[in-house]
Amino acid sequence: MQQLLIVAHGSRREASNQEVRLLGQQVATQLQLASEQVQVAFLELTTPSVATALNQCFQGGVNQVTVLPYFLSSGNHVVKDLPQEIAAVQENWPDKHIKLLPHIGAIEGMVHLIASAYRNN
Amino acid sequence: MQQLLIVAHGSRREASNQEVRLLGQQVATQLQLASEQVQVAFLELTTPSVATALNQCFQGGVNQVTVLPYFLSSGNHVVKDLPQEIAAVQENWPDKHIKLLPHIGAIEGMVHLIASAYRNN
């Protein structure tokens, strides 16, 4: 079963977290996946954590999870914290595959997205 | 003259700030604008500030600046801090136009960008 996990920073402002959860649902629709095949996790300030989300996926029988860091730049959260959290989970699930994508700010289409936002304003 | 100002949070990690500056240059290329027509400013931790960048634009004769908040969710920086900084500059330049776009995480194409990142991995 395909599985995407979008990992965001997390905010004290619950509306911000809800915004990310809603985005996850919209991505599932766009990808024509079941809603549970696109999960959202957070590094700080709210739940679920990355470990909780990954463990739930693997306990549910998922064999491969693709992790998208929903971060705009390669700060410590992207470079250190998230890879460490993933490595810790991987130790407990040696037969499962966790694929870490580049952070969203480094995805090639970002330049085009910004250009479109400007053009269409 | 057209002018886009991309406003990011700013990081202690200079490589992250450089990543945003490079993105600005790539957006200028994509939009076929001169490099000075796409500027980058930061709310914290590095320079230029939003006020400095806007003042420079207006001093240089630009009449309208489109501001894109390069933030993924509508936290305090997007909801309060940036609008306040813009309002303060606007007071000093009553005849200039500052157009504030939605933050990048709320731009319609974001769902598609994430879906593409997953599909192409």
mmCIF file of all heavy atoms in Angstrom, chain A residues 2-3 13 16 19 23 26 30-31 68 70 72 74-75 99 101 103 109 111-115 117-118 121, chain B residues 2-3 13 16 19 23 26 30-31 68 70 72 74-75 99 101 103 107 109 111-115 117-118 121:
data_model
loop_
_atom_site.group_PDB
_atom_site.id
_atom_site.type_symbol
_atom_site.label_atom_id
_atom_site.label_comp_id
_atom_site.label_asym_id
_atom_site.label_seq_id
_atom_site.Cartn_x
_atom_site.Cartn_y
_atom_site.Cartn_z
ATOM 1 N N GLN A 2 0.497 2.214 -0.825
ATOM 2 C CA GLN A 2 1.242 3.473 -0.876
ATOM 3 C C GLN A 2 0.923 4.334 0.338
ATOM 4 O O GLN A 2 -0.212 4.336 0.811
ATOM 5 C CB GLN A 2 0.849 4.263 -2.119
ATOM 6 C CG GLN A 2 1.210 3.611 -3.436
ATOM 7 C CD GLN A 2 0.755 4.484 -4.581
ATOM 8 O OE1 GLN A 2 1.397 5.483 -4.900
ATOM 9 N NE2 GLN A 2 -0.360 4.144 -5.194
ATOM 10 N N GLN A 3 1.929 5.035 0.787
ATOM 11 C CA GLN A 3 1.721 5.882 1.966
ATOM 12 C C GLN A 3 2.591 7.130 1.876
ATOM 13 O O GLN A 3 3.799 7.024 1.682
ATOM 14 C CB GLN A 3 2.083 5.091 3.233
ATOM 15 C CG GLN A 3 1.839 5.843 4.529
ATOM 16 C CD GLN A 3 0.351 5.993 4.862
ATOM 17 O OE1 GLN A 3 -0.380 5.005 4.806
ATOM 18 N NE2 GLN A 3 -0.085 7.181 5.193
ATOM 19 N N ARG A 13 -0.567 27.686 17.279
ATOM 20 C CA ARG A 13 -1.845 28.163 16.748
ATOM 21 C C ARG A 13 -2.537 26.984 16.061
ATOM 22 O O ARG A 13 -2.112 26.529 15.004
ATOM 23 C CB ARG A 13 -1.539 29.296 15.749
ATOM 24 C CG ARG A 13 -2.697 30.169 15.397
ATOM 25 C CD ARG A 13 -2.210 31.430 14.665
ATOM 26 N NE ARG A 13 -3.329 32.076 14.026
ATOM 27 C CZ ARG A 13 -3.822 31.713 12.845
ATOM 28 N NH1 ARG A 13 -3.270 30.747 12.167
ATOM 29 N NH2 ARG A 13 -4.871 32.345 12.352
ATOM 30 N N SER A 16 -3.258 26.805 12.357
ATOM 31 C CA SER A 16 -2.140 26.502 11.457
ATOM 32 C C SER A 16 -1.990 25.001 11.277
ATOM 33 O O SER A 16 -1.739 24.515 10.178
ATOM 34 C CB SER A 16 -0.829 27.056 12.012
ATOM 35 O OG SER A 16 -0.861 28.450 12.043
ATOM 36 N N GLU A 19 -4.654 23.695 9.099
ATOM 37 C CA GLU A 19 -4.369 24.044 7.703
ATOM 38 C C GLU A 19 -3.533 22.934 7.044
ATOM 39 O O GLU A 19 -3.780 22.552 5.897
ATOM 40 C CB GLU A 19 -3.584 25.363 7.719
ATOM 41 C CG GLU A 19 -3.617 26.189 6.482
ATOM 42 C CD GLU A 19 -2.831 27.488 6.679
ATOM 43 O OE1 GLU A 19 -2.751 28.002 7.835
ATOM 44 O OE2 GLU A 19 -2.280 27.991 5.706
ATOM 45 N N LEU A 23 -4.612 20.299 4.107
ATOM 46 C CA LEU A 23 -3.755 20.144 2.926
ATOM 47 C C LEU A 23 -3.519 18.661 2.646
ATOM 48 O O LEU A 23 -3.564 18.221 1.495
ATOM 49 C CB LEU A 23 -2.433 20.862 3.181
ATOM 50 C CG LEU A 23 -1.486 20.989 2.003
ATOM 51 C CD1 LEU A 23 -1.987 22.043 1.026
ATOM 52 C CD2 LEU A 23 -0.085 21.358 2.478
ATOM 53 N N GLN A 26 -6.432 17.248 0.932
ATOM 54 C CA GLN A 26 -6.517 17.721 -0.459
ATOM 55 C C GLN A 26 -5.510 16.988 -1.344
ATOM 56 O O GLN A 26 -5.789 16.695 -2.508
ATOM 57 C CB GLN A 26 -6.274 19.234 -0.518
ATOM 58 C CG GLN A 26 -7.390 20.042 0.134
ATOM 59 C CD GLN A 26 -7.041 21.511 0.290
ATOM 60 O OE1 GLN A 26 -5.880 21.867 0.510
ATOM 61 N NE2 GLN A 26 -8.034 22.372 0.204
ATOM 62 N N GLN A 30 -6.155 14.750 -4.619
ATOM 63 C CA GLN A 30 -5.414 15.015 -5.864
ATOM 64 C C GLN A 30 -4.737 13.746 -6.386
ATOM 65 O O GLN A 30 -4.682 13.491 -7.583
ATOM 66 C CB GLN A 30 -4.374 16.108 -5.584
ATOM 67 C CG GLN A 30 -3.388 16.390 -6.706
ATOM 68 C CD GLN A 30 -3.956 17.354 -7.738
ATOM 69 O OE1 GLN A 30 -4.793 18.196 -7.419
ATOM 70 N NE2 GLN A 30 -3.515 17.221 -8.970
ATOM 71 N N LEU A 31 -4.202 12.951 -5.462
ATOM 72 C CA LEU A 31 -3.485 11.726 -5.843
ATOM 73 C C LEU A 31 -4.433 10.541 -6.022
ATOM 74 O O LEU A 31 -3.981 9.438 -6.332
ATOM 75 C CB LEU A 31 -2.439 11.375 -4.768
ATOM 76 C CG LEU A 31 -1.206 12.275 -4.698
ATOM 77 C CD1 LEU A 31 -0.432 12.005 -3.409
ATOM 78 C CD2 LEU A 31 -0.299 12.030 -5.905
ATOM 79 N N LEU A 68 7.554 13.488 3.211
ATOM 80 C CA LEU A 68 7.814 14.799 2.606
ATOM 81 C C LEU A 68 7.965 15.842 3.702
ATOM 82 O O LEU A 68 6.989 16.149 4.408
ATOM 83 C CB LEU A 68 6.663 15.209 1.691
ATOM 84 C CG LEU A 68 6.809 16.620 1.095
ATOM 85 C CD1 LEU A 68 7.962 16.695 0.103
ATOM 86 C CD2 LEU A 68 5.520 17.084 0.442
ATOM 87 N N TYR A 70 7.617 19.176 5.037
ATOM 88 C CA TYR A 70 6.874 20.381 4.630
ATOM 89 C C TYR A 70 7.531 21.591 5.276
ATOM 90 O O TYR A 70 6.998 22.228 6.178
ATOM 91 C CB TYR A 70 5.411 20.207 5.037
ATOM 92 C CG TYR A 70 4.460 21.226 4.434
ATOM 93 C CD1 TYR A 70 4.357 21.381 3.062
ATOM 94 C CD2 TYR A 70 3.648 22.008 5.237
ATOM 95 C CE1 TYR A 70 3.484 22.303 2.506
ATOM 96 C CE2 TYR A 70 2.766 22.929 4.691
ATOM 97 C CZ TYR A 70 2.696 23.072 3.320
ATOM 98 O OH TYR A 70 1.826 23.995 2.776
ATOM 99 N N LEU A 72 10.266 25.027 4.194
ATOM 100 C CA LEU A 72 10.696 25.808 3.040
ATOM 101 C C LEU A 72 12.200 25.874 2.879
ATOM 102 O O LEU A 72 12.698 26.036 1.785
ATOM 103 C CB LEU A 72 10.112 27.217 3.118
ATOM 104 C CG LEU A 72 8.612 27.273 2.835
ATOM 105 C CD1 LEU A 72 8.064 28.645 3.097
ATOM 106 C CD2 LEU A 72 8.313 26.831 1.406
ATOM 107 N N SER A 74 16.288 24.516 4.380
ATOM 108 C CA SER A 74 16.999 23.398 4.995
ATOM 109 C C SER A 74 17.629 23.797 6.322
ATOM 110 O O SER A 74 18.838 23.794 6.474
ATOM 111 C CB SER A 74 18.059 22.889 4.030
ATOM 112 O OG SER A 74 18.944 23.947 3.695
ATOM 113 N N GLY A 75 16.775 24.150 7.282
ATOM 114 C CA GLY A 75 17.246 24.440 8.635
ATOM 115 C C GLY A 75 17.532 23.150 9.395
ATOM 116 O O GLY A 75 17.473 22.049 8.830
ATOM 117 N N LYS A 99 11.244 6.386 2.837
ATOM 118 C CA LYS A 99 11.925 7.187 1.814
ATOM 119 C C LYS A 99 11.733 8.657 2.124
ATOM 120 O O LYS A 99 10.602 9.147 2.187
ATOM 121 C CB LYS A 99 11.348 6.864 0.437
ATOM 122 C CG LYS A 99 11.967 7.711 -0.644
ATOM 123 C CD LYS A 99 11.772 7.150 -2.016
ATOM 124 C CE LYS A 99 12.587 7.971 -3.005
ATOM 125 N NZ LYS A 99 12.435 7.495 -4.376
ATOM 126 N N LEU A 101 11.974 12.408 1.107
ATOM 127 C CA LEU A 101 12.072 13.318 -0.046
ATOM 128 C C LEU A 101 12.801 14.606 0.356
ATOM 129 O O LEU A 101 12.927 14.911 1.539
ATOM 130 C CB LEU A 101 10.661 13.690 -0.542
ATOM 131 C CG LEU A 101 9.784 12.568 -1.093
ATOM 132 C CD1 LEU A 101 8.450 13.146 -1.573
ATOM 133 C CD2 LEU A 101 10.474 11.840 -2.235
ATOM 134 N N HIS A 103 12.987 18.581 1.071
ATOM 135 C CA HIS A 103 11.961 19.452 1.653
ATOM 136 C C HIS A 103 11.244 20.218 0.529
ATOM 137 O O HIS A 103 11.806 20.433 -0.551
ATOM 138 C CB HIS A 103 12.568 20.398 2.697
ATOM 139 C CG HIS A 103 13.653 21.285 2.172
ATOM 140 N ND1 HIS A 103 14.919 20.833 1.868
ATOM 141 C CD2 HIS A 103 13.662 22.610 1.902
ATOM 142 C CE1 HIS A 103 15.647 21.848 1.435
ATOM 143 N NE2 HIS A 103 14.914 22.932 1.450
ATOM 144 N N GLY A 109 9.356 22.388 -8.613
ATOM 145 C CA GLY A 109 8.177 23.170 -8.969
ATOM 146 C C GLY A 109 7.940 24.403 -8.118
ATOM 147 O O GLY A 109 7.054 25.208 -8.420
ATOM 148 N N VAL A 111 9.692 27.140 -7.703
ATOM 149 C CA VAL A 111 9.959 28.372 -8.455
ATOM 150 C C VAL A 111 8.741 28.713 -9.313
ATOM 151 O O VAL A 111 8.282 29.863 -9.353
ATOM 152 C CB VAL A 111 11.210 28.206 -9.350
ATOM 153 C CG1 VAL A 111 11.371 29.398 -10.282
ATOM 154 C CG2 VAL A 111 12.452 28.025 -8.493
ATOM 155 N N HIS A 112 8.203 27.700 -9.954
ATOM 156 C CA HIS A 112 7.044 27.885 -10.821
ATOM 157 C C HIS A 112 5.814 28.301 -10.015
ATOM 158 O O HIS A 112 5.025 29.147 -10.453
ATOM 159 C CB HIS A 112 6.776 26.591 -11.595
ATOM 160 C CG HIS A 112 5.736 26.740 -12.658
ATOM 161 N ND1 HIS A 112 4.449 26.289 -12.499
ATOM 162 C CD2 HIS A 112 5.783 27.328 -13.873
ATOM 163 C CE1 HIS A 112 3.757 26.583 -13.583
ATOM 164 N NE2 HIS A 112 4.525 27.204 -14.433
ATOM 165 N N LEU A 113 5.662 27.707 -8.825
ATOM 166 C CA LEU A 113 4.508 28.038 -7.970
ATOM 167 C C LEU A 113 4.549 29.511 -7.560
ATOM 168 O O LEU A 113 3.536 30.221 -7.612
ATOM 169 C CB LEU A 113 4.501 27.137 -6.722
ATOM 170 C CG LEU A 113 3.346 27.344 -5.748
ATOM 171 C CD1 LEU A 113 2.007 27.032 -6.410
ATOM 172 C CD2 LEU A 113 3.528 26.470 -4.499
ATOM 173 N N ILE A 114 5.719 29.992 -7.161
ATOM 174 C CA ILE A 114 5.863 31.402 -6.775
ATOM 175 C C ILE A 114 5.613 32.306 -7.980
ATOM 176 O O ILE A 114 4.904 33.316 -7.886
ATOM 177 C CB ILE A 114 7.265 31.676 -6.192
ATOM 178 C CG1 ILE A 114 7.470 30.880 -4.904
ATOM 179 C CG2 ILE A 114 7.461 33.167 -5.933
ATOM 180 C CD1 ILE A 114 8.873 30.963 -4.354
ATOM 181 N N ALA A 115 6.184 31.925 -9.113
ATOM 182 C CA ALA A 115 6.002 32.733 -10.323
ATOM 183 C C ALA A 115 4.514 32.823 -10.691
ATOM 184 O O ALA A 115 4.023 33.892 -11.045
ATOM 185 C CB ALA A 115 6.816 32.139 -11.477
ATOM 186 N N ALA A 117 1.943 32.519 -8.620
ATOM 187 C CA ALA A 117 1.264 33.327 -7.609
ATOM 188 C C ALA A 117 1.412 34.810 -7.937
ATOM 189 O O ALA A 117 0.479 35.608 -7.770
ATOM 190 C CB ALA A 117 1.838 33.036 -6.223
ATOM 191 N N TYR A 118 2.588 35.184 -8.419
ATOM 192 C CA TYR A 118 2.840 36.581 -8.773
ATOM 193 C C TYR A 118 2.098 36.967 -10.050
ATOM 194 O O TYR A 118 1.442 38.014 -10.111
ATOM 195 C CB TYR A 118 4.342 36.802 -8.954
ATOM 196 C CG TYR A 118 4.702 38.201 -9.373
ATOM 197 C CD1 TYR A 118 4.520 39.262 -8.509
ATOM 198 C CD2 TYR A 118 5.233 38.449 -10.633
ATOM 199 C CE1 TYR A 118 4.847 40.556 -8.893
ATOM 200 C CE2 TYR A 118 5.575 39.732 -11.025
ATOM 201 C CZ TYR A 118 5.377 40.782 -10.148
ATOM 202 O OH TYR A 118 5.703 42.055 -10.530
ATOM 203 N N ASN A 121 -1.782 37.445 -9.662
ATOM 204 C CA ASN A 121 -2.303 38.350 -8.631
ATOM 205 C C ASN A 121 -2.970 39.575 -9.244
ATOM 206 O O ASN A 121 -2.763 39.889 -10.401
ATOM 207 C CB ASN A 121 -1.195 38.759 -7.658
ATOM 208 C CG ASN A 121 -0.415 39.969 -8.111
ATOM 209 O OD1 ASN A 121 -0.856 41.107 -7.955
ATOM 210 N ND2 ASN A 121 0.752 39.740 -8.696
ATOM 211 N N GLN B 2 7.384 46.590 -12.410
ATOM 212 C CA GLN B 2 6.885 45.502 -11.583
ATOM 213 C C GLN B 2 7.904 45.138 -10.504
ATOM 214 O O GLN B 2 9.107 45.140 -10.751
ATOM 215 C CB GLN B 2 6.654 44.257 -12.441
ATOM 216 C CG GLN B 2 5.579 44.416 -13.483
ATOM 217 C CD GLN B 2 5.415 43.119 -14.260
ATOM 218 O OE1 GLN B 2 4.822 42.167 -13.784
ATOM 219 N NE2 GLN B 2 5.983 43.091 -15.444
ATOM 220 N N GLN B 3 7.392 44.758 -9.352
ATOM 221 C CA GLN B 3 8.306 44.408 -8.263
ATOM 222 C C GLN B 3 7.671 43.335 -7.382
ATOM 223 O O GLN B 3 6.542 43.504 -6.901
ATOM 224 C CB GLN B 3 8.601 45.651 -7.408
ATOM 225 C CG GLN B 3 9.569 45.407 -6.277
ATOM 226 C CD GLN B 3 11.008 45.255 -6.768
ATOM 227 O OE1 GLN B 3 11.467 46.046 -7.579
ATOM 228 N NE2 GLN B 3 11.705 44.232 -6.298
ATOM 229 N N ARG B 13 20.965 29.824 10.231
ATOM 230 C CA ARG B 13 21.805 29.040 9.316
ATOM 231 C C ARG B 13 21.884 29.788 7.985
ATOM 232 O O ARG B 13 20.915 29.860 7.244
ATOM 233 C CB ARG B 13 21.138 27.668 9.144
ATOM 234 C CG ARG B 13 22.024 26.592 8.587
ATOM 235 C CD ARG B 13 21.381 25.217 8.765
ATOM 236 N NE ARG B 13 22.038 24.258 7.913
ATOM 237 C CZ ARG B 13 21.754 24.099 6.627
ATOM 238 N NH1 ARG B 13 20.818 24.804 6.051
ATOM 239 N NH2 ARG B 13 22.421 23.206 5.912
ATOM 240 N N SER B 16 20.457 28.461 4.724
ATOM 241 C CA SER B 16 19.005 28.542 4.526
ATOM 242 C C SER B 16 18.614 29.878 3.916
ATOM 243 O O SER B 16 17.753 29.940 3.035
ATOM 244 C CB SER B 16 18.269 28.390 5.863
ATOM 245 O OG SER B 16 18.465 27.113 6.390
ATOM 246 N N GLU B 19 19.523 29.954 0.351
ATOM 247 C CA GLU B 19 18.573 29.144 -0.418
ATOM 248 C C GLU B 19 17.395 30.020 -0.877
ATOM 249 O O GLU B 19 16.945 29.927 -2.016
ATOM 250 C CB GLU B 19 18.073 28.028 0.507
ATOM 251 C CG GLU B 19 17.535 26.789 -0.127
ATOM 252 C CD GLU B 19 17.141 25.762 0.950
ATOM 253 O OE1 GLU B 19 17.760 25.725 2.048
ATOM 254 O OE2 GLU B 19 16.202 25.013 0.702
ATOM 255 N N LEU B 23 16.421 31.225 -4.654
ATOM 256 C CA LEU B 23 15.055 31.014 -5.148
ATOM 257 C C LEU B 23 14.531 32.296 -5.793
ATOM 258 O O LEU B 23 13.895 32.259 -6.851
ATOM 259 C CB LEU B 23 14.165 30.595 -3.978
ATOM 260 C CG LEU B 23 12.761 30.132 -4.316
ATOM 261 C CD1 LEU B 23 12.782 28.740 -4.925
ATOM 262 C CD2 LEU B 23 11.887 30.121 -3.060
ATOM 263 N N GLN B 26 15.872 32.622 -9.181
ATOM 264 C CA GLN B 26 15.258 31.657 -10.107
ATOM 265 C C GLN B 26 13.854 32.116 -10.506
ATOM 266 O O GLN B 26 13.436 31.924 -11.647
ATOM 267 C CB GLN B 26 15.199 30.276 -9.451
ATOM 268 C CG GLN B 26 16.569 29.643 -9.268
ATOM 269 C CD GLN B 26 16.533 28.394 -8.408
ATOM 270 O OE1 GLN B 26 15.694 28.272 -7.504
ATOM 271 N NE2 GLN B 26 17.432 27.464 -8.671
ATOM 272 N N GLN B 30 12.379 32.854 -14.173
ATOM 273 C CA GLN B 30 11.117 32.235 -14.610
ATOM 274 C C GLN B 30 10.132 33.287 -15.113
ATOM 275 O O GLN B 30 9.415 33.079 -16.081
ATOM 276 C CB GLN B 30 10.530 31.458 -13.424
ATOM 277 C CG GLN B 30 9.144 30.885 -13.634
ATOM 278 C CD GLN B 30 9.162 29.558 -14.375
ATOM 279 O OE1 GLN B 30 10.131 28.809 -14.271
ATOM 280 N NE2 GLN B 30 8.124 29.264 -15.114
ATOM 281 N N LEU B 31 10.091 34.428 -14.417
ATOM 282 C CA LEU B 31 9.148 35.492 -14.771
ATOM 283 C C LEU B 31 9.696 36.414 -15.861
ATOM 284 O O LEU B 31 9.018 37.362 -16.261
ATOM 285 C CB LEU B 31 8.808 36.334 -13.532
ATOM 286 C CG LEU B 31 7.914 35.677 -12.478
ATOM 287 C CD1 LEU B 31 7.918 36.494 -11.186
ATOM 288 C CD2 LEU B 31 6.482 35.541 -13.004
ATOM 289 N N LEU B 68 4.982 38.511 -1.344
ATOM 290 C CA LEU B 68 4.600 37.110 -1.176
ATOM 291 C C LEU B 68 5.191 36.578 0.123
ATOM 292 O O LEU B 68 6.408 36.453 0.245
ATOM 293 C CB LEU B 68 5.112 36.259 -2.341
ATOM 294 C CG LEU B 68 4.837 34.758 -2.160
ATOM 295 C CD1 LEU B 68 3.349 34.463 -2.277
ATOM 296 C CD2 LEU B 68 5.614 33.935 -3.179
ATOM 297 N N TYR B 70 6.579 33.978 2.194
ATOM 298 C CA TYR B 70 7.115 32.642 1.929
ATOM 299 C C TYR B 70 7.055 31.830 3.233
ATOM 300 O O TYR B 70 8.056 31.541 3.873
ATOM 301 C CB TYR B 70 8.547 32.773 1.393
ATOM 302 C CG TYR B 70 9.126 31.511 0.807
ATOM 303 C CD1 TYR B 70 8.480 30.853 -0.232
ATOM 304 C CD2 TYR B 70 10.320 30.988 1.278
ATOM 305 C CE1 TYR B 70 9.010 29.697 -0.768
ATOM 306 C CE2 TYR B 70 10.861 29.830 0.740
ATOM 307 C CZ TYR B 70 10.202 29.188 -0.289
ATOM 308 O OH TYR B 70 10.731 28.034 -0.820
ATOM 309 N N LEU B 72 4.576 28.597 5.165
ATOM 310 C CA LEU B 72 3.689 27.490 4.823
ATOM 311 C C LEU B 72 2.353 27.550 5.537
ATOM 312 O O LEU B 72 1.357 27.036 5.041
ATOM 313 C CB LEU B 72 4.382 26.155 5.100
ATOM 314 C CG LEU B 72 5.485 25.835 4.096
ATOM 315 C CD1 LEU B 72 6.254 24.605 4.529
ATOM 316 C CD2 LEU B 72 4.908 25.646 2.706
ATOM 317 N N SER B 74 -0.408 29.815 8.366
ATOM 318 C CA SER B 74 -0.791 31.156 8.786
ATOM 319 C C SER B 74 -0.552 31.358 10.279
ATOM 320 O O SER B 74 -1.477 31.574 11.045
ATOM 321 C CB SER B 74 -2.264 31.381 8.453
ATOM 322 O OG SER B 74 -3.046 30.381 9.090
ATOM 323 N N GLY B 75 0.717 31.298 10.667
ATOM 324 C CA GLY B 75 1.077 31.583 12.058
ATOM 325 C C GLY B 75 1.105 33.086 12.305
ATOM 326 O O GLY B 75 0.720 33.882 11.435
ATOM 327 N N LYS B 99 0.854 45.335 -2.295
ATOM 328 C CA LYS B 99 -0.164 44.290 -2.403
ATOM 329 C C LYS B 99 0.343 43.023 -1.712
ATOM 330 O O LYS B 99 1.387 42.481 -2.092
ATOM 331 C CB LYS B 99 -0.451 43.998 -3.872
ATOM 332 C CG LYS B 99 -1.460 42.880 -4.029
ATOM 333 C CD LYS B 99 -2.079 42.835 -5.402
ATOM 334 C CE LYS B 99 -3.221 41.827 -5.385
ATOM 335 N NZ LYS B 99 -3.870 41.727 -6.693
ATOM 336 N N LEU B 101 0.043 39.217 -0.967
ATOM 337 C CA LEU B 101 -0.544 37.961 -1.444
ATOM 338 C C LEU B 101 -0.794 37.013 -0.268
ATOM 339 O O LEU B 101 -0.244 37.193 0.814
ATOM 340 C CB LEU B 101 0.412 37.274 -2.436
ATOM 341 C CG LEU B 101 0.705 37.994 -3.744
ATOM 342 C CD1 LEU B 101 1.609 37.121 -4.615
ATOM 343 C CD2 LEU B 101 -0.577 38.325 -4.492
ATOM 344 N N HIS B 103 -0.103 33.649 1.879
ATOM 345 C CA HIS B 103 1.168 32.946 2.079
ATOM 346 C C HIS B 103 1.253 31.746 1.138
ATOM 347 O O HIS B 103 0.234 31.216 0.704
ATOM 348 C CB HIS B 103 1.329 32.538 3.542
ATOM 349 C CG HIS B 103 0.257 31.649 4.072
ATOM 350 N ND1 HIS B 103 -1.023 32.089 4.346
ATOM 351 C CD2 HIS B 103 0.248 30.328 4.379
ATOM 352 C CE1 HIS B 103 -1.747 31.094 4.794
ATOM 353 N NE2 HIS B 103 -1.008 30.008 4.826
ATOM 354 N N ILE B 107 -1.491 29.036 -1.389
ATOM 355 C CA ILE B 107 -1.636 29.200 -2.841
ATOM 356 C C ILE B 107 -2.172 27.882 -3.405
ATOM 357 O O ILE B 107 -1.719 26.803 -3.028
ATOM 358 C CB ILE B 107 -0.269 29.548 -3.478
ATOM 359 C CG1 ILE B 107 0.289 30.850 -2.909
ATOM 360 C CG2 ILE B 107 -0.362 29.573 -5.004
ATOM 361 C CD1 ILE B 107 -0.305 32.114 -3.440
ATOM 362 N N GLY B 109 -1.847 26.108 -5.980
ATOM 363 C CA GLY B 109 -0.959 25.119 -6.589
ATOM 364 C C GLY B 109 -0.158 24.280 -5.608
ATOM 365 O O GLY B 109 0.512 23.329 -6.006
ATOM 366 N N VAL B 111 -1.081 22.124 -3.328
ATOM 367 C CA VAL B 111 -1.563 20.740 -3.298
ATOM 368 C C VAL B 111 -0.972 19.965 -4.479
ATOM 369 O O VAL B 111 -0.469 18.845 -4.331
ATOM 370 C CB VAL B 111 -3.111 20.700 -3.363
ATOM 371 C CG1 VAL B 111 -3.616 19.279 -3.533
ATOM 372 C CG2 VAL B 111 -3.702 21.322 -2.107
ATOM 373 N N HIS B 112 -0.988 20.597 -5.629
ATOM 374 C CA HIS B 112 -0.455 19.966 -6.831
ATOM 375 C C HIS B 112 1.050 19.746 -6.723
ATOM 376 O O HIS B 112 1.579 18.709 -7.150
ATOM 377 C CB HIS B 112 -0.800 20.832 -8.043
ATOM 378 C CG HIS B 112 -0.484 20.188 -9.343
ATOM 379 N ND1 HIS B 112 0.640 20.501 -10.066
ATOM 380 C CD2 HIS B 112 -1.109 19.203 -10.027
ATOM 381 C CE1 HIS B 112 0.671 19.756 -11.161
ATOM 382 N NE2 HIS B 112 -0.373 18.965 -11.162
ATOM 383 N N LEU B 113 1.748 20.713 -6.133
ATOM 384 C CA LEU B 113 3.212 20.596 -5.973
ATOM 385 C C LEU B 113 3.562 19.391 -5.093
ATOM 386 O O LEU B 113 4.457 18.610 -5.407
ATOM 387 C CB LEU B 113 3.773 21.887 -5.372
ATOM 388 C CG LEU B 113 5.291 21.934 -5.176
ATOM 389 C CD1 LEU B 113 6.019 21.819 -6.518
ATOM 390 C CD2 LEU B 113 5.713 23.223 -4.473
ATOM 391 N N ILE B 114 2.842 19.235 -3.977
ATOM 392 C CA ILE B 114 3.094 18.098 -3.086
ATOM 393 C C ILE B 114 2.757 16.791 -3.801
ATOM 394 O O ILE B 114 3.525 15.811 -3.736
ATOM 395 C CB ILE B 114 2.265 18.223 -1.798
ATOM 396 C CG1 ILE B 114 2.695 19.461 -1.006
ATOM 397 C CG2 ILE B 114 2.414 16.970 -0.929
ATOM 398 C CD1 ILE B 114 1.825 19.742 0.210
ATOM 399 N N ALA B 115 1.624 16.779 -4.490
ATOM 400 C CA ALA B 115 1.215 15.563 -5.202
ATOM 401 C C ALA B 115 2.278 15.179 -6.238
ATOM 402 O O ALA B 115 2.634 13.993 -6.370
ATOM 403 C CB ALA B 115 -0.140 15.784 -5.865
ATOM 404 N N ALA B 117 5.499 15.930 -6.176
ATOM 405 C CA ALA B 117 6.701 15.479 -5.473
ATOM 406 C C ALA B 117 6.568 14.012 -5.081
ATOM 407 O O ALA B 117 7.520 13.238 -5.156
ATOM 408 C CB ALA B 117 6.933 16.338 -4.224
ATOM 409 N N TYR B 118 5.378 13.618 -4.679
ATOM 410 C CA TYR B 118 5.127 12.230 -4.285
ATOM 411 C C TYR B 118 5.102 11.323 -5.517
ATOM 412 O O TYR B 118 5.737 10.254 -5.528
ATOM 413 C CB TYR B 118 3.799 12.150 -3.533
ATOM 414 C CG TYR B 118 3.423 10.749 -3.131
ATOM 415 C CD1 TYR B 118 4.174 10.053 -2.182
ATOM 416 C CD2 TYR B 118 2.327 10.107 -3.703
ATOM 417 C CE1 TYR B 118 3.823 8.760 -1.810
ATOM 418 C CE2 TYR B 118 1.967 8.832 -3.324
ATOM 419 C CZ TYR B 118 2.724 8.155 -2.382
ATOM 420 O OH TYR B 118 2.382 6.877 -2.018
ATOM 421 N N ASN B 121 8.585 10.583 -7.098
ATOM 422 C CA ASN B 121 9.697 10.078 -6.269
ATOM 423 C C ASN B 121 10.041 8.640 -6.640
ATOM 424 O O ASN B 121 9.266 7.941 -7.253
ATOM 425 C CB ASN B 121 9.345 10.191 -4.789
ATOM 426 C CG ASN B 121 8.585 9.003 -4.243
ATOM 427 O OD1 ASN B 121 9.165 7.984 -3.905
ATOM 428 N ND2 ASN B 121 7.265 9.136 -4.156
#
